[in-house]
Amino acid sequence: MKKAALWLALGAVAFLAALWAAPQAEGLWSALFPEVSRPAYVQESWFVLLGSHLALSLGAALLAAMLGIPAGIAATRSSGRALRPVVDAAFTLAQSVPPVAVIALALPLLGFGAAPTLLALVLYGALPLLRATVTGIESVPAQITEAARGLGLSPWQRLTRVELPLARPVLLAGLRVAVTLSVATTAVGAVAGARCLGTPIIIGLTNANPSYVLQGALFTAWLALLLDRALSLLAGPQSSP
Amino acid sequence: MRRAHALALTPLALMAMLAPWWLGWIAVAPNRLLSPRLAALPDTEPVTLAWAAFHVACLALLLAAWLPHRRRFEEVAAVAAMLALVATLGLGASAALPEGAPLARAAPAAGAWVALLVLALATAVAATLRGGTPTIPLLAAVVGTGLLGWAGLLDSLSLVREATGRAAELRAALGGHLFLSTSALLLALVVALPLSVLALARPGVEAGFLGAASGVQVIPSIALFGLLIAPLAALASSFPALREMGLGGIGPAPAVIGIAAYLLLPLGRGLLAGLRVAPADLLEAARGQGLSPRQVLWGVRVPLGAGVMLGALRLAAVQAVGLATLAALVGGGGLGTIVFQGVGQLASDLILLGVLPILALSLAADAALAALSRLLPSAA
């Protein structure tokens, strides 16, 4: 556990160092892409792009958690049962629509910028979290909730002391899925004008600059892998693959 | 149990019925550039008939949710409501467009979109409560819409005008999309099948294969496609034979390889699970009868696990159709070309023209593979 955290910290430091070094490493990029006249991406600082990527994807994941987890709790209460089939159906439907389609469809309504991406992010983050909350709470054995009721715990106490702690591994797995999706969807959001690590990829693709594409893709993938490691560490050893 | 249907479907049916009245049926713009304004639904006879049918279908959905269960009646009502609404929009658009203004365009307004979305959700809810998937009824809605369009009922909608104006482009994009998703699926199968068979006997291979496949899942697809461009371009320039085969940095190659990489996890998991369906004593008996490992694999493991394996193939096919959208960014073609063209011009008709066939395609892939798995003798 300690060792894994150390490796993660080292990975994060290496990532930040690479972000710092990328604009300086003109020589490396021009060696890789001799035909490109300006191979180093210097339009914006990589740290600014990283910051807005993280703000957008983690902010959306937070928003999604604020929507998805309470809704999932509501769907498992006896008064909220009606919500359950709607949740499952929405989840099924959403899976056949790629996130990029949601971004594209929201674009004419919300305009260029981060807004369409944010909508898609919240939608695609809330659903897995909602689903994970429902499965997590429903996986708590009935005897345990019965016993908690027998001990005289109030519904609120049963939820916070019994159901949610026992649902934690499933919930964290759902959070991991939501964050992975969120980081990936943010990168695609560059198409709709969201500023993020995907922006150099899009600029590179539209201006036939493979060097920008490589740098953007490298850092986007690196960030996604780092965040996934961090979340699997958070989820504890039992739920890591 | 009936209560669950009534509780979930009542608000959806009411919402579908009221949304167009509240948020508008159709919007009309003088031309492509000006922004559309809500238009009243014309009260010609066909239009009135169509919206009356829409309301009857919504009420039938409501009724079906409260009455003792009839098989699939709710889904049929929801699909009928969707089709009646589409007909209302098509007829309403042709009646609402001013005479002698060929540039004027009519499109469904927000209320109509909300109603369609809510009805699709209601279909899915009904299917979920039945314990099935909404693929077949939704595909029926898509096919029905196609028939309405073929009959010329929808010709006045700007989306249909856009589609007829770009028929050749649309056909090419559709063909490209099919090519991308099927070749990625085949490539993934070619890699996953031998590895799964190998992993049966060697746990090390299983851990390595599934570990690598789930590692790929974490990488955003746009980044993976981007990372593949440079090596593929280098490969193509050092081996001209490969370039003649169509391999290159920009084009379908990075997309197909990238999509296939994402399909390895669902395929690998499903294939392995399928190969493990056969119980140990049966395998033992087969070996005892002197069957060779190859005979055990093809005679026992594959037939028994075919259902599970087809399920994995179905999941992978649907994912492939969705992932192929992003291929357009790396010059791979497909329906994403139209979507991103629409994104560049902020043209919602163009975006829809790209997105709707993608949805129809993923429904069709899902339905086709579901039908195939029903044909399996082991399922009977």
Side-chain angles (χ1 to χ4, degrees):
Chain A
M1 185 78 191
K2 269 251 169 69
K3 215 168 162 190
L6 197 67
W7 275 115
L8 179 68
L10 273 178
V13 170
F15 177 55
L16 292 176
L19 283 181
W20 172 81
Q24 266 87 317
E26 182 96 38
L28 170 66
W29 308 124
S30 59
L32 281 173
F33 302 100
E35 73 284 1
V36 177
S37 57
R38 269 181 296 166
Y41 187 81
V42 288
Q43 280 87 326
E44 277 157 308
S45 155
W46 283 103
F47 292 103
V48 173
L49 293 177
L50 171 68
S52 65
H53 198 123
L54 280 177
L56 199 55
S57 50
L58 295 184
L62 197 71
L63 215 60
M66 279 159 56
L67 284 171
I69 295 176
I73 292 173
T76 51
R77 303 303 99 185
S78 54
S79 52
R81 282 278 145 76
L83 216 60
R84 182 68 209 275
V86 183
V87 168
D88 285 344
F91 193 81
T92 320
L93 278 188
Q95 282 197 316
S96 58
V97 186
V100 60
V102 175
I103 297 180
L105 289 174
L107 184 70
L109 303 175
L110 301 173
F112 272 106
T117 309
L118 196 65
L119 179 79
L121 281 171
V122 173
L123 222 63
Y124 278 86
L127 282 171
L129 276 170
L130 211 167
R131 176 90 149 203
T133 311
V134 172
T135 15
I137 290 180
E138 281 186 348
S139 69
V140 176
Q143 300 102 299
I144 293 184
T145 38
E146 272 316 305
R149 199 193 302 261
L151 283 172
L153 265 62
S154 71
W156 175 253
Q157 284 172 324
R158 283 207 298 275
L159 176 67
T160 53
R161 292 195 197 162
V162 180
E163 288 172 309
L164 284 181
L166 284 174
R168 186 171 171 261
V170 184
L171 252 170
L172 281 173
L175 187 68
R176 202 169 152 192
V177 172
V179 168
T180 304
L181 250 171
S182 196
V183 170
T185 310
T186 305
V188 174
V191 175
R195 216 149 51 112
C196 60
L197 291 174
T199 308
I201 305 181
I202 300 298
I203 295 181
L205 286 171
T206 45
N207 297 312
N209 187 332
S211 178
Y212 287 4
V213 177
L214 182 69
Q215 292 166 59
L218 190 67
F219 292 137
T220 310
W222 200 337
L223 175 71
L225 289 168
L226 273 180
L227 279 177
D228 186 64
R229 280 285 89 204
L231 280 166
S232 77
L233 219 58
L234 197 72
Q238 72 270 35
S239 64
S240 62
Chain B
M1 199 52 215
R2 282 318 294 165
R3 225 178 127 239
H5 286 244
L7 276 177
L9 289 174
T10 306
L12 292 178
L14 289 175
M15 213 192 296
M17 204 151 62
L18 297 177
W21 294 113
W22 184 37
L23 295 168
W25 297 83
I26 46 175
V28 176
N31 61 46
R32 221 187 125 158
L33 299 172
L34 291 176
S35 52
R37 296 212 169 161
L38 285 189
L41 208 56
D43 51 358
T44 61
E45 199 169 309
V47 180
T48 315
L49 213 63
W51 73 251
F54 165 62
H55 285 303
V56 168
C58 284
L59 287 173
L61 172 63
L62 196 63
L63 209 65
W66 285 89
L67 286 181
H69 198 41
R70 300 254 170 77
R71 286 192 66 199
R72 291 184 181 243
F73 191 69
E74 294 156 345
E75 284 148 271
V76 171
V79 170
M82 274 191 258
L83 291 177
L85 178 56
V86 170
T88 313
L89 298 172
L91 292 167
S94 68
L97 283 180
E99 294 270 341
L103 288 178
R105 312 188 128 230
W113 287 119
V114 170
L116 281 173
L117 211 62
V118 166
L119 285 170
L121 188 62
T123 313
V125 168
T128 312
L129 283 171
R130 177 170 55 80
T133 59
T135 310
I136 302 289
L138 288 179
L139 194 64
V142 170
V143 172
T145 306
L147 286 177
L148 287 176
W150 180 68
L153 232 61
L154 311 178
D155 283 350
S156 302
L157 287 174
S158 59
L159 182 66
V160 177
R161 287 196 181 169
E162 197 82 59
T164 36
R166 293 170 183 265
E169 197 184 333
L170 191 62
R171 252 197 307 276
L174 197 65
H177 210 90
L178 276 173
F179 165 76
L180 285 168
S181 27
T182 37
S183 41
L185 198 59
L186 285 178
L187 180 61
L189 263 178
V190 165
V191 176
L193 208 55
L195 278 174
S196 306
V197 173
L198 214 61
L200 268 183
R202 299 194 186 95
V205 174
E206 180 181 357
F209 170 39
L210 291 185
S214 56
V216 172
Q217 300 289 320
V218 175
I219 300 172
S221 45
I222 184 174
L224 186 59
F225 294 179
L227 284 174
L228 286 169
I229 290 179
L232 284 171
L235 212 62
S237 64
S238 39
F239 298 99
L242 285 177
R243 189 166 39 200
E244 269 152 42
M245 281 165 61
L247 195 91
I250 293 283
V256 168
I257 296 174
I259 298 167
Y262 289 108
L263 301 183
L264 286 180
L265 187 66
L267 274 181
R269 264 192 195 148
L271 290 177
L272 259 171
L275 290 173
R276 291 202 171 120
V277 166
D281 47 348
L282 191 67
L283 292 171
E284 209 45 59
R287 281 187 209 113
Q289 292 207 326
L291 263 65
S292 69
R294 177 180 294 262
Q295 283 170 321
V296 171
L297 177 67
W298 290 106
V300 183
R301 284 189 188 270
V302 170
L304 283 177
V308 176
M309 291 196 252
L310 262 180
L313 196 64
R314 186 175 160 191
L315 192 69
V318 172
Q319 280 189 15
V321 170
L323 282 165
T325 313
L326 284 176
L329 285 177
V330 292
L335 288 160
T337 326
I338 297 180
V339 176
F340 291 121
Q341 213 180 322
V343 165
Q345 303 173 10
L346 262 180
S348 40
D349 281 339
L350 214 51
I351 294 173
L352 278 170
L353 196 60
V355 169
L356 293 179
I358 295 174
L359 301 188
L361 216 53
S362 74
L363 281 174
D366 197 30
L369 285 167
L372 199 66
S373 66
R374 227 167 278 140
L375 283 178
L376 281 182
S378 61

